[in-house]
Each structure stands twice: as C-alpha cells, then as structure tokens.
Amino acid sequence: MRQGLAFALGYLRNPRRVGAIAPASKALAQAILHEVLRAEPQVLIEVGAGTGAITRALLPALGRVGRFMVIERDPGFAQLLRRSFPDLEVLNHCATRLDALDIDLHAPVTLVSSLPLLSMTREEARGCIDAMVALIETRPGSRLIQYTYASPHLRPFRDIPVGWRWRRAASIWANLPPATVWTLEQASHPSLVHNAVH
C-alpha cells in the first residue's frame, strides 16, 4: 500500500520520469528475473528502481552475483528503497553517473533498466542511454535488460554499438500497461537465440 501511494505521488510529481501509471506487475518482475538468471553476472545493477517492484523480484539473484547495486534518481523513492531493502546498496544517483561507479573493469555487468526512455525528454534519454551503453560495452559478457510499454516491436533505442543486438526476451500482457522485455547484448553472447532482432 505504501509503495503504491509513493508510486502514485511520484507519477503526479513527474509523469515523464515515472513513465507508467502503476508499478511493474509480478508477471513483469518475474520475466525480468528469469532474463537476469540466463547468465551469471558478477555485478547486477538496477537503474530507475522506483518503489522497488523489480528490486524485490531480483532478490533471488543475490546468491548468484557478487554485488547488487540499486540506483534511483528520485530522493523520495531512494529513501523508500533504503527502508524496504536495508541490506542492499542503494544510491540516490542519476543513470548518467554510471561511469562514476566503482566497478571492476573486468567484471561482467547485467544492467536492469526501469527508465522510461520512450517518455523521457530526448536529452535526458540520450544521456542515460549513452551512460548505460558505455558501461556494458567496455565489459565483455555484460548486458542491458530494458522493458518498455510501447509496441512489442519497438526497440528501446536504435543507436547501439556495432556487434550488439536487441533480443526480445518476453512480452507481458498481464501488466498495466502491457510490457516488453528486451536484452541488449553482444551478438556472440551465449544467451543470444534465434529471435534476435536488429
């Protein structure tokens, strides 16, 4: 109840940054967890965690990662996340500051983004995209998992590095609104399957 109220207030404060009218559903959260567990990253980073609907679902991955970091720009949401998940590393940062994180350059990273890239201003979205791509591009075996509320055929963004591909991981109709989970990974990544799209 408290998380739902916090989400609603956050949406009213800045709907473009929240991007949805309700927190992620359990079905969407489980689909993201399933995609995270397709590989075993040394570092798991959630960006734009909001009230923690995805964060909670990712807790089972803790035993398979060396470090789990949660990043949230909104101070109110960040405070709620710290109270809800006192054992997690919660940072009140913007996604554009990913380059400032103290992460081993050789550690594969799985980056889970809840950022509403398609509803953010172009400048804000571009800054976040550049930072996320720079983080995973420099670490072999890294991936970006991004979900969207747009058409299931519309990729989260198009300007991706050479040798990388979007893979449509799941479509979740039991979500408000319906969502699509995408994974950006190197074309040679072991989890890439036949339904990869450019």
Side-chain angles (χ1 to χ4, degrees):
M1 184 69 165
R2 181 178 63 184
Q3 290 182 335
L5 178 59
F7 189 94
L9 291 173
Y11 180 83
L12 291 173
R13 279 198 311 271
N14 200 327
R16 289 178 74 97
R17 285 189 187 161
V18 175
I21 58 175
S25 68
K26 188 178 232 182
L28 174 56
Q30 286 302 308
I32 292 170
L33 173 63
H34 176 76
E35 185 61 19
V36 166
L37 295 179
R38 287 176 66 94
E40 295 192 4
Q42 292 183 28
V43 180
L44 175 61
I45 304 174
E46 183 188 6
V47 179
T51 58
I54 302 297
T55 312
R56 190 173 304 282
L58 292 177
L59 292 179
L62 275 172
R64 295 173 60 174
V65 300
R67 189 177 181 189
F68 181 10
M69 307 173 71
V70 180
I71 297 175
E72 172 52 49
R73 176 179 180 174
D74 184 279
F77 284 169
Q79 186 177 18
L80 176 63
L81 289 164
R82 289 190 182 108
R83 288 200 306 266
S84 301
F85 309 101
D87 296 329
L88 295 185
E89 189 175 356
V90 178
L91 303 175
N92 181 203
H93 287 178
C94 178
T96 57
R97 296 181 57 192
L98 286 170
D99 63 338
L101 298 179
D102 183 18
I103 303 173
D104 186 341
L105 285 174
H106 303 290
V109 172
T110 289
L111 187 60
V112 175
S113 168
S114 297
L115 297 173
L117 297 175
L118 298 177
S119 66
M120 294 166 69
T121 67
R122 183 175 298 179
E123 294 75 17
E124 280 187 317
R126 188 74 259 165
C128 294
I129 289 167
D130 288 347
M132 292 191 295
V133 169
L135 181 72
I136 64 170
E137 189 180 16
T138 55
R139 292 168 171 82
S142 296
R143 305 176 296 155
L144 165 64
I145 300 171
Q146 173 77 53
Y147 62 93
T148 65
Y149 298 122
S151 162
H153 303 290
L154 182 63
R155 296 136 189 83
F157 53 89
R158 288 191 171 274
D159 295 330
I160 61 175
V162 174
W164 289 68
R165 297 182 183 178
W166 281 114
R167 176 169 52 82
R168 189 183 304 109
S171 293
I172 310 300
W173 302 106
N175 192 78
L176 183 65
T180 304
V181 179
W182 294 89
T183 297
L184 178 63
E185 59 195 1
Q186 290 169 302
S188 59
H189 195 281
S191 70
L192 188 67
V193 292
H194 68 277
N195 61 337
V197 291
H198 296 282

